[in-house]
Amino acid sequence: MTFSNGQEGWHGLQPLDGNGGSSIDHSLGNDAPSLRTRMENFGVAWSTRDNTDFVRDYTQMGGVTFGIDVSAQSVFFFNREVTRDLVLELRDYDNMTNGLPYTSVWVKVGTLDASKPGWQHLSVTIDDTSATALPAGWGGYGAEDSTGMPYLPSNRTFASVLAGVDEVAFTTYVPGMMFGYTYFDVAVDNISISPVPEPAQGLLLLTGLAGIAALARRRRH
């Protein structure tokens, strides 16, 4: 997803005060146009509910890697540059029973940091999309405890959410956290998903490479 053909179903959050927003930027792309967000808000997000390359049943993929390039020009709060965590959130809008808008699973993929110039590539891999338990580092959303902290409802599993992903979002709105009004100037590019090779395929590849290396050694002797 390089934004060379427009936004293709991806959208950024709109500003609360009506100033700024998200649009294609041809001057700041990472080898292509980017989707750039400039606005004041409590957080930013780039998400899709329309691009069927991303909105899908991920349990059919075995393992999958999500990737995104980010360039933070400014994250400005209380007269100084700050950092904000960026999370990947996979949302399912079906079968809600707790009064919250969706059920999701989420994980931190990196940090927006304007002190690091240029583009950063961030990624996260799910080794087994059929796993029922949340993998290490992942959180859930869809129910809340008495303090308002979110968790995955007892009738949902990691795999059941991945089987019906209605929206994919990269966002600074970490579930359960609160944020102050902040100015953001951040661009994203090269949003991707890619299957993780099966172990047997990886073994065959390694075996093949080892065979080629052995043959090369024999030819040198």
Side-chain angles (χ1 to χ4, degrees), residues 63-215:
V64 62
T65 296
F66 294 83
I68 187 171
D69 292 347
V70 299
S71 178
Q73 307 301 300
S74 181
V75 183
F76 202 70
F77 176 69
F78 257 75
N79 299 315
R80 63 187 179 93
E81 291 290 340
V82 297
T83 63
R84 288 286 186 268
D85 288 341
L86 186 69
V87 301
L88 167 69
E89 189 172 21
L90 306 175
R91 301 168 176 168
D92 179 1
Y93 283 84
D94 300 322
N95 306 314
M96 286 305 303
T97 59
N98 298 298
L100 298 176
Y102 53 77
T103 303
S104 73
V105 292
W106 56 273
V107 67
K108 178 181 174 180
V109 294
T111 303
L112 300 182
D113 185 351
S115 71
K116 296 180 179 179
W119 287 89
Q120 299 180 70
H121 178 70
L122 308 176
S123 66
V124 62
T125 296
I126 302 172
D127 293 316
D128 181 8
T129 57
S130 66
T132 56
L134 290 169
W138 284 77
Y141 175 89
E144 294 180 338
D145 64 18
S146 59
T147 67
M149 291 302 294
Y151 61 92
L152 194 63
S154 59
N155 64 334
R156 300 303 302 271
T157 67
F158 184 67
S160 78
V161 176
L162 265 58
V165 173
D166 298 311
E167 184 174 29
V168 175
F170 290 92
T171 177
T172 62
Y173 284 105
V174 180
M177 300 294 290
M178 297 182 66
F179 302 93
Y181 208 51
T182 304
Y183 174 76
F184 293 91
D185 182 357
V186 183
V188 298
D189 202 356
N190 298 320
I191 303 175
S192 64
I193 55 171
S194 54
V196 176
E198 295 290 338
Q201 293 176 325
L203 180 60
L204 287 173
L205 176 61
L206 290 173
T207 302
L209 291 174
I212 292 171
L215 179 60

